[in-house]
Amino acid sequence: MRHSDPYEIPTFVTHLECPATGERFEADTVQGLSSAGKPLLVRYDLDGIAASVTKTDLAGRPDGMWRYREFLPVRRTEDIVSLGESATPLVTLPRLAAEMGADEILVKDEGRLPTGSFKARGLSMAVSMAKELDLTRLAMPTNGNAGAALAAYGSRAGIDTYVFCPDDTPEVNVREIAMQGAHVWRVNGLINDCGKIVGAGKEAMGWFDVSTLKEPYRIEGKKTMGLELADQLGWQVPDVIFYPTGGGTGLIGMWKAFLELREIGWLTGPLPRMVAVQSTGCAPIVRAYDEGADHADLWENAFTIASGIRVPVAIGDFLILEAVRDSGGFAIAVSDEEIAAAQERVPATDGLLLCPEGAATFAAYERSLADGLVSPEDRVVLFNCGNGLKYPMPPAERSLDHTQPIDWESLSEE
Ligand SMILES: *Cc1c(COP(=O)(O)O)cnc(C)c1O
């Protein structure tokens, strides 16, 4: 028996739903994909939410993802597995905006979250739900950040975790996963090959698969990016959101947040145009968008320095494409050269270190502005999803001999 918390907040989950067929599944039981093999979405009694909480109530709570409890699936406060997910700031890029002739560029810097990436939102939620549903062993394939978050939240919950990464995953990620207590392996393949190991090991290992979108709750965690963004802007939304899209959880989750907020009347007027940013080395969603397709085909020989968006096939492809199209957004791919250039330019100009995926959104914004896909007056939000310090940086090799006279002139040379 669990004791009940005196500060328990009412929750409003009614059921889980297959977005492809509308088939309903029971909440509060362990669920993976729908019977059609699609990701399940959590549905709420939105009228109930609207009747039970106000914007003012929320403003009186601590900031961060758990502020939005009524919009989230965890029933019991004691099941929340948290490492201090404070709200992430919206950082302006004033010097770059001036250079580019844009009114304002906002970066939502998700690198400030526990484990250094926005994967903390999804995994804090998924592990909390795993705890609520008494799961004891979880597994996932990862390009790094999701595995780090799973490891950290899993350890904190006393849940056993197994993580499989492509063998070229950045070293720091693999070590971080190991230090945070997961069983971690490097695999000589891509993330989808790692995913096959997780699928194949289910019976022998008895683990639950927390791969992107293969359980219903990571989306709800990422949904808090949309809730938080609207909250930060005074329950307004930006005109355009540039999102580095791998499995697409964040894009799908934010769009779900905006629809739910509109449904309860907290957002009125146009919703943001959602832009899916990928790399030219792995752009299945961009290709499908360009072809007018509803689903994306596997991208062969995927390669990009932005490992978080190196996802050759996404099970939520149709949901990403739907959000992009329904919002009047678009999908765009940038090259690794453009990503690397942005990764150098943004911190050197405005002091904000970006992860490669975040840099991709800057490069995509710059190109979209040049191509007239967005206007300089549009209020845009770029997502920097990971802390730049987690990624390899170019070497800085100049040194001085303090016992010798210094040639001051030479210090300012490039
Ligand atoms: C996972 C990840 C992404 C992609 O996020 P999705 O919501 O899965 O599309 C982008 N950037 C970074 C740094 C990531 O870790």
Side-chain angles (χ1 to χ4, degrees):
M1 269 299 286
R2 295 167 198 263
H3 68 87
S4 63
D5 187 313
Y7 302 106
E8 210 64 67
I9 282 177
T11 57
F12 296 92
V13 176
T14 51
H15 62 282
L16 308 176
E17 189 179 283
C18 174
T21 64
E23 191 183 354
R24 287 170 169 239
F25 295 81
E26 204 182 326
D28 306 303
T29 57
V30 178
Q31 302 281 3
L33 293 171
S34 75
S35 37
K38 301 296 179 190
L40 286 173
L41 298 181
V42 182
R43 296 300 182 202
Y44 298 83
D45 165 15
L46 293 172
D47 293 337
I49 296 178
S52 123
V53 66
T54 65
K55 295 173 186 174
T56 316
D57 294 335
L58 293 191
R61 299 180 188 168
D63 72 13
M65 60 185 272
W66 299 104
R67 168 182 277 197
Y68 311 102
R69 272 296 291 287
E70 286 84 352
F71 295 84
L72 302 176
V74 179
R75 304 272 191 199
R76 289 179 296 255
T77 303
E78 66 197 29
D79 288 329
I80 292 177
V81 186
S82 169
L83 285 161
E85 302 73 26
S86 39
T88 62
L90 284 168
V91 182
T92 57
L93 301 179
R95 291 178 14 110
L96 286 160
E99 278 177 22
M100 293 157 72
D103 284 0
E104 186 177 56
I105 308 170
L106 294 170
V107 178
K108 189 145 172 70
D109 189 10
E110 295 279 301
R112 319 281 177 110
L113 286 163
T115 72
S117 85
F118 67 4
K119 293 294 193 301
R121 294 182 189 267
L123 273 308
S124 177
M125 191 68 65
V127 171
S128 297
M129 288 306 295
K131 187 175 168 198
E132 192 146 271
L133 298 171
D134 295 322
L135 295 171
T136 55
R137 192 178 265 191
L138 306 176
M140 70 152 60
T142 178
N143 282 327
N145 285 328
L150 175 66
Y153 288 100
S155 292
R156 195 170 180 83
I159 292 175
D160 207 16
T161 57
Y162 290 78
V163 175
F164 303 88
C165 327
D167 53 9
D168 59 352
T169 300
E171 191 59 35
V172 63
N173 287 114
V174 185
R175 294 187 185 188
E176 181 194 3
I177 295 168
M179 282 198 80
Q180 284 161 183
H183 307 272
V184 59
W185 281 271
R186 292 187 177 80
V187 177
N188 56 344
L190 292 180
I191 189 162
N192 46 323
D193 301 304
C194 297
K196 285 176 199 151
I197 296 177
V198 172
K202 258 184 209 165
E203 203 165 315
M205 297 298 294
W207 58 45
F208 180 73
D209 185 349
V210 284
S211 299
T212 305
L213 301 180
K214 287 194 181 164
E215 59 75 56
Y217 302 111
R218 283 175 63 188
I219 292 186
E220 296 303 300
K222 288 269 195 97
K223 184 177 91 175
T224 63
M225 291 191 295
L227 300 172
E228 188 175 293
L229 180 59
D231 187 355
Q232 281 173 314
L233 296 174
W235 301 103
Q236 304 278 324
V237 285
D239 297 310
V240 193
I241 290 177
F242 283 80
Y243 186 81
T245 307
T249 328
L251 194 148
I252 296 165
M254 271 194 281
W255 185 242
K256 185 170 187 284
F258 298 143
L259 295 178
E260 289 173 358
L261 290 172
R262 186 168 67 183
E263 188 77 23
I264 66 170
W266 286 20
L267 288 180
T268 50
L271 297 181
R273 301 171 66 202
M274 305 297 292
V275 178
V277 177
Q278 297 199 304
S279 157
T280 49
C282 181
I285 298 297
V286 179
R287 182 171 62 192
Y289 173 80
D290 288 342
E291 288 170 353
D294 294 337
H295 285 82
D297 293 328
L298 172 89
W299 189 274
E300 301 286 351
N301 304 317
F303 182 81
T304 166
I305 54 169
S307 48
I309 53 175
R310 191 180 57 177
V311 179
V313 56
I315 190 165
D317 53 1
F318 66 109
L319 295 171
I320 303 170
L321 289 159
E322 192 177 274
V324 165
R325 293 197 175 109
D326 287 355
S327 69
F330 53 94
I332 180 171
V334 290
S335 67
D336 276 11
E337 292 70 36
E338 290 172 284
I339 294 174
Q343 219 181 340
E344 292 199 8
R345 184 172 167 208
V346 176
T349 313
D350 273 314
L352 185 65
L353 196 66
L354 301 177
C355 63
E357 298 79 4
T361 66
F362 180 84
Y365 170 62
E366 190 176 24
R367 181 122 62 75
S368 304
L369 201 56
D371 292 350
L373 290 164
V374 297
S375 90
E377 294 82 40
D378 279 333
R379 183 180 228 187
V380 296
V381 173
L382 313 180
F383 269 82
N384 183 50
C385 308
N387 194 311
L389 291 170
K390 289 180 86 172
Y391 298 83
M393 284 175 259
E397 284 168 327
R398 284 186 292 181
S399 60
L400 283 178
D401 181 349
H402 75 98
T403 67
Q404 297 299 315
I406 292 173
D407 171 9
W408 297 108
E409 286 279 293
S410 74
L411 294 193
S412 59
E413 283 163 13
E414 274 312 302

